[in-house]
Amino acid sequence: RICNYPHKVALASVLAVGTFEGQRDMETALEEFARDQGCDVMIAFGRVGWEEKMTPGWRKFAAQYIRSL
């Protein structure tokens, strides 16, 4: 999804693929799509611990919390 923030436009995606290597295969296409849409950044939501496996240029930015009802 494309997110329009006050100072940035972001492509936000969920890393939900069969294998982590599958995410790497899609990253080039996602980056090209994001640039074509005028995005400044890409945001990826994934599992804890994946920051060690991300390709260069990614950094951990925030945490997401969930609470059962």
Side-chain angles (χ1 to χ4, degrees):
R1 107 186 123 153
I2 305 296
C3 302
N4 291 292
Y5 297 109
H7 299 288
K8 298 280 183 192
V9 178
L11 172 67
S13 61
V14 177
L15 300 181
V17 294
T19 64
F20 192 82
E21 288 73 27
Q23 182 273 334
R24 289 187 181 149
D25 293 340
M26 292 188 317
E27 187 172 339
T28 301
L30 288 172
E31 184 174 343
E32 183 177 335
F33 175 77
R35 290 181 190 279
D36 289 346
Q37 299 302 309
C39 294
D40 303 296
V41 297
M42 290 173 44
I43 301 170
F45 301 94
R47 296 168 77 178
V48 173
W50 278 12
E51 61 266 17
E52 301 151 4
K53 296 183 178 185
M54 300 294 279
T55 56
W58 289 96
R59 62 184 172 87
K60 190 172 183 178
F61 178 71
Q64 187 173 14
Y65 301 92
I66 186 169
R67 184 179 108 179
S68 296
L69 300 176

